[in-house]
Amino acid sequence: MTKNLIKQILDNPEHSVKDQALIKKAYDFAAKAHAGQKRKSGDDFIVHPISVAHYLSQIKMDAATIAAALLHDVLEDTYVTQQALKKEFSDEICFLVEGVSQLKKLKHLSRKELEHEQNQRLRKMFLAMAQDIRVVLIKLADRRHNLQTLEFLNQTIKKRKAFETIHIYSPVAARLGMGELKGELEDLAFPHAFPGEYKELMGKVKEKYREREKYLTRVKNTMEKRLRKNGIVPIDIHSRAKHYYSLYKKMIQENLDAQNVYDLVAIRIILENTDQCYETMGIIHKLWRPVPGYVKDFIALPKSNGYQSLHTTVFCERGKIVEFQIRTPDMHHHAENGVAAHWAYSEAGKPEGSVVADHKELNWINKLREWQSRSPNEFVESLKIDYLSERIFVFTPKGDVKDLPAGSTPIDFAYQVHSEIGDRIASAKVDGKIVPIRQELKTGQVVEIITSKNASPSRDWLKFTKTAEAKRKIRAFSRMTG
Ligand code: MN
C-alpha cells in the first residue's frame, strides 16, 4: 500500500523532475528514520507520513510541502536531529518540518488545563499561519490521518483528540476556507466527542437515506431537463448529504428535528460561468417557490473566507425543502480547498475562465487571488505582511477566536461577541489586566469584557472602532436615546 501511495504522489504530472527527486529523497530519508517503528494500528510508522503527504498532494500542494509532510515526524519521533536534517535538506524544508514539530509539543493535561492550553494552541496555530501557512496545512493533514486511525487509541485520548479537533483544527480549516477538510475533520471527531448524540442522529438519518436518494434523483432529473430546455448544459449536478456534524449543529441551533432533514441536503449545480449561475437560479425559482430569506448571493458578496456561490432554498417537489448551491468549477474548487487552491494556482497560473470577484470589500482570501501571479515565495511573504497587518486574531476567555480588522479595540470585540455586550461594556481586561476600552488590540491577546447595567455606548466611541458592526450599533443606540 505504501508503495502505491508514494507512486501516486510521484506520478503527479505537475511535478518537475526536480520536484520528484526531492519527494523521493524525503521519502527515503523518512523511511530510514522511521524503520522498525509501528503505529498503534500495527502498521509500519511510515504509512502515516505517506498518508499525510498523499492528502497534500491531492489538494495540489507544492513539492516542498509534500517533502516536509513526509519528514514531519522525524524530529519528534526519531533520532534525527535538526543538524542532520539541515545537512540534507534546504532551509525551506527544515523550516516547515520544525514549524510542524513546534505545533506538536503536547503535554497531558487536566480538563481545566486543557481549556487554557486550547487558547495557547489556537494562538500558536494562528501565529504559525503568519509565518508560513503551509506549516498549518501539514498540521491539519496530520490531524486528519490521526483521526482516521483513532480507533486504536484508548478512550481518554480519543475523546481529547476529538474535542481538540472540533475546537481547534476545524475552526482553523474553516478560517482557511477549506470547507471539505473542515467537514471531514468534524465528522471524524463527532462519534468520539459526542457518542450519544452521534448514535441518535445516525439512527434518524440512516432511516431516511434511501428514500431521500430516490427523491433527489427525481429532482435532479427535473432540474436537468429544464436547464437543457433553456440551453444550459450543466457541467455537473450532484447531491450530497451535508456533513453529519454540521447537520447536528444546525439541528440544535435551529431547533429542528429529523423531519426537516431534507433541507439539510444540498443539490450542487456546477456551471460554466457566472451568467449561467444567475440564469439557473432564475429557472429554479420559476420551477419552485423560494423560501423567503434563504436566497443568498455569495458571488457578488463572497463570505469572509472567500467562499463564492449562489444559494437558494426552495419548496421543492411534494412541498419538501431543498437547498441548491450554484457555482462555477473554479468557485467549487475554492469552496472545497480554500487557501490550498490558491497555492496550487500560485504555482500553475490561474485556470481559464476563473472568476475573480471585483467587489470592493475584498476579504483576505480574495486578496490572495491577486497575489497568485507572484512567485510562491512572494506569495508567502505577502501573506505574512499584508494579511497579518490587516487582520488580528484575539481570543475570548473560553478560547473562541475573533478575527478583527487591525486597530480594533475592546469595543469592536464586545460588539462582535454580542450587541448587548457592546452596549453594556464598562471596562475590559486584556491578558488579565484592565485596559482602556479604546486601546488597540493585538493578535494573540485574550480579551474579557466587563459589563455593567448602567453603562451605555457613547458617540465618542465611533473614533475608537474599526468594525462596521460596532459603528452601526453605536449609531443606532445614540439615535434611540437622542
Ligand atoms: Mn504526525
Side-chain angles (χ1 to χ4, degrees):
M1 185 186 89
T2 61
K3 286 264 151 56
N4 228 333
L5 288 180
I6 202 78
K7 193 171 173 316
Q8 279 178 28
I9 298 172
L10 288 168
D11 281 352
N12 184 340
E14 274 163 46
H15 289 152
S16 65
V17 177
K18 218 175 120 198
D19 287 346
Q20 284 181 328
L22 170 64
I23 295 168
K24 185 74 178 44
K25 185 179 169 191
Y27 167 66
D28 290 338
F29 189 95
K32 207 175 142 205
H34 291 294
Q37 293 180 341
K38 296 274 181 200
R39 299 267 290 171
K40 284 262 160 50
S41 59
D43 283 336
D44 286 335
F45 189 90
I46 193 69
V47 170
H48 169 64
I50 290 177
S51 304
V52 175
H54 186 256
Y55 173 76
L56 291 163
S57 105
Q58 276 184 323
I59 62 169
K60 298 196 166 63
M61 294 302 294
D62 65 331
T65 310
I66 293 166
L70 287 165
L71 296 165
H72 83 270
D73 276 326
V74 299
L75 290 180
E76 208 59 18
D77 297 337
T78 76
Y79 291 109
V80 172
T81 59
Q82 281 190 0
Q83 286 80 348
L85 195 69
K86 281 215 167 88
K87 246 172 113 181
E88 293 294 322
F89 295 97
S90 67
D91 287 350
E92 185 189 17
I93 307 273
C94 294
F95 176 83
L96 293 174
V97 176
E98 279 161 27
V100 178
S101 308
Q102 288 291 317
L103 283 178
K104 210 180 143 186
K105 292 184 177 135
L106 304 176
K107 282 170 282 172
H108 273 281
L109 298 160
S110 72
R111 228 197 148 86
K112 198 164 175 193
E113 283 170 322
L114 181 65
E115 260 179 34
H116 176 72
E117 174 74 356
Q118 237 168 41
N119 300 349
Q120 296 295 339
R121 238 178 277 168
L122 255 180
R123 281 203 253 183
K124 268 194 185 171
M125 286 281 249
F126 281 100
L127 296 175
M129 227 136 95
Q131 296 196 322
D132 191 325
I133 207 135
R134 293 175 297 173
V135 169
V136 175
L137 294 177
I138 297 170
K139 189 65 208 164
L140 291 172
D142 176 44
R143 176 48 61 117
R144 176 179 173 271
H145 186 251
N146 283 336
L147 286 174
Q148 285 170 339
T149 49
L150 202 59
E151 55 186 307
F152 303 101
L153 300 177
N154 77 40
Q155 214 55 36
T156 324
I157 300 182
K158 267 187 202 167
K159 207 156 187 130
R160 183 163 60 88
K161 296 236 180 234
F163 276 116
E164 255 177 25
T165 302
I166 286 171
H167 292 296
I168 298 177
Y169 294 92
S170 104
V172 168
R175 186 61 243 179
L176 293 174
M178 304 178 78
E180 189 47 39
L181 180 60
K182 171 190 177 276
E184 220 183 317
L185 288 173
E186 285 177 343
D187 282 356
L188 287 164
F190 186 22
H192 305 289
F194 308 104
E197 289 85 345
Y198 176 78
K199 244 191 199 154
E200 200 188 325
L201 180 76
M202 293 314 277
K204 284 179 185 163
V205 171
K206 277 221 173 100
E207 227 167 77
K208 300 203 158 192
Y209 186 79
R210 288 181 67 100
E211 193 190 329
R212 192 169 67 208
E213 284 299 291
K214 254 165 109 184
Y215 176 79
L216 286 172
T217 309
R218 258 195 28 204
V219 172
K220 273 190 279 185
N221 288 341
T222 311
M223 190 67 243
E224 193 159 6
K225 262 186 223 147
R226 188 60 70 97
L227 285 179
R228 281 175 191 272
K229 234 173 144 184
N230 284 272
I232 297 176
V233 182
I235 295 171
D236 188 27
I237 301 185
H238 59 269
S239 65
R240 161 157 171 210
K242 286 199 177 161
H243 282 289
Y244 290 123
Y245 183 71
S246 70
L247 193 137
Y248 163 70
K249 268 199 312 199
K250 190 166 178 172
M251 282 169 80
I252 290 182
Q253 272 163 15
E254 300 184 12
N255 224 343
L256 295 171
D257 84 293
Q259 304 292 312
N260 293 319
V261 121
Y262 282 99
D263 88 306
L264 300 169
V265 178
I267 295 187
R268 259 183 217 144
I269 309 175
I270 313 291
L271 297 148
E272 221 161 277
N273 55 46
T274 314
D275 286 349
Q276 286 192 353
C277 291
Y278 285 106
E279 225 178 298
T280 298
M281 182 143 90
I283 292 166
I284 292 173
H285 288 169
K286 262 191 249 167
L287 263 170
W288 301 295
R289 190 160 58 83
V291 179
Y294 282 86
V295 181
K296 291 182 186 138
D297 184 350
F298 296 120
I299 292 180
L301 298 167
K303 285 193 193 177
S304 64
N305 64 11
Y307 176 86
Q308 285 189 300
S309 203
L310 297 175
H311 288 192
T312 183
T313 300
V314 300
F315 297 102
C316 205
E317 302 201 348
R318 285 181 280 159
K320 296 206 188 303
I321 294 171
V322 175
E323 183 185 86
F324 287 88
Q325 300 175 349
I326 308 157
R327 50 174 85 145
T328 64
D330 185 33
M331 292 173 196
H332 184 58
H333 184 55
H334 280 94
E336 306 263 294
N337 297 322
V339 78
H342 297 284
W343 247 105
Y345 293 167
S346 74
E347 301 248 297
K350 256 190 292 183
E352 267 184 62
S354 76
V355 181
V356 178
D358 56 1
H359 194 265
K360 266 213 174 129
E361 283 181 40
L362 285 183
N363 45 60
W364 70 280
I365 293 236
N366 282 333
K367 280 233 171 85
L368 299 188
R369 283 178 201 183
E370 295 166 20
W371 294 330
Q372 280 165 36
S373 52
R374 304 185 193 173
S375 74
N377 284 340
E378 247 183 285
F379 171 84
V380 172
E381 275 310 307
S382 35
L383 194 62
K384 280 188 226 172
I385 299 159
D386 298 359
Y387 173 50
L388 277 223
S389 64
E390 278 171 31
R391 305 294 296 180
I392 56 165
F393 301 110
V394 289
F395 301 87
T396 69
K398 281 192 179 154
D400 290 335
V401 194
K402 298 288 166 199
D403 171 4
L404 296 164
S408 290
T409 61
I411 307 173
D412 293 294
F413 177 88
Y415 277 107
Q416 191 160 99
V417 174
H418 198 281
S419 64
E420 242 163 65
I421 295 182
D423 286 345
R424 294 278 171 252
I425 175 169
S427 59
K429 272 189 192 170
V430 168
D431 292 335
K433 286 192 200 113
I434 298 270
V435 300
I437 57 171
R438 52 189 63 178
Q439 178 168 308
E440 279 188 19
L441 298 172
K442 291 196 190 81
T443 287
Q445 291 178 327
V446 176
V447 186
E448 190 180 343
I449 300 297
I450 298 148
T451 56
S452 150
K453 265 192 214 147
N454 305 320
S456 65
S458 114
R459 274 198 82 85
D460 219 36
W461 288 5
L462 291 172
K463 280 183 266 172
F464 310 110
T465 44
K466 285 275 170 193
T467 52
E469 178 75 357
K471 287 183 193 294
R472 199 163 54 78
K473 293 274 163 56
I474 296 166
R475 282 199 193 96
F477 195 92
S478 43
R479 259 200 304 278
M480 239 162 56
T481 53

